[in-house]
Amino acid sequence: MAAANKDRRPIVTLESTAGTGYRYVTKKNKVNTRERIVLKKYDPIIRRHVEFKETR
């Protein structure tokens, strides 16, 4: 039963589109969000908010 719950919310890596190589690690609900997620988050290397895209 616990294995089924982990499959629904896998761990994904979000990488900065600014090219700094900075990454965030988060979880997403695979049932509700099928496509790759894009979030606007803070990149401390360039000190501004940029888009972070999901990598595989």
Side-chain angles (χ1 to χ4, degrees), residues 13-25 41-48 50-53 55:
T13 304
L14 303 174
E15 187 167 359
S16 175
T17 58
T20 59
Y22 194 78
R23 296 178 179 193
Y24 281 101
V25 177
K41 297 184 74 63
Y42 183 74
D43 190 338
I45 296 172
I46 59 171
R47 293 184 280 176
R48 62 178 49 174
V50 295
E51 285 188 342
F52 280 75
K53 292 186 178 181
T55 61

Side-chain angles (χ1 to χ4, degrees), residues 25-55:
V25 177
T26 187
K27 295 179 182 179
K28 79 169 187 177
N29 190 331
K30 222 173 180 182
V31 175
N32 295 334
T33 312
R34 294 297 225 174
E35 62 278 347
R36 293 186 185 188
I37 57 176
V38 176
L39 298 174
K40 201 160 193 178
K41 297 184 74 63
Y42 183 74
D43 190 338
I45 296 172
I46 59 171
R47 293 184 280 176
R48 62 178 49 174
H49 284 81
V50 295
E51 285 188 342
F52 280 75
K53 292 186 178 181
E54 178 182 342
T55 61

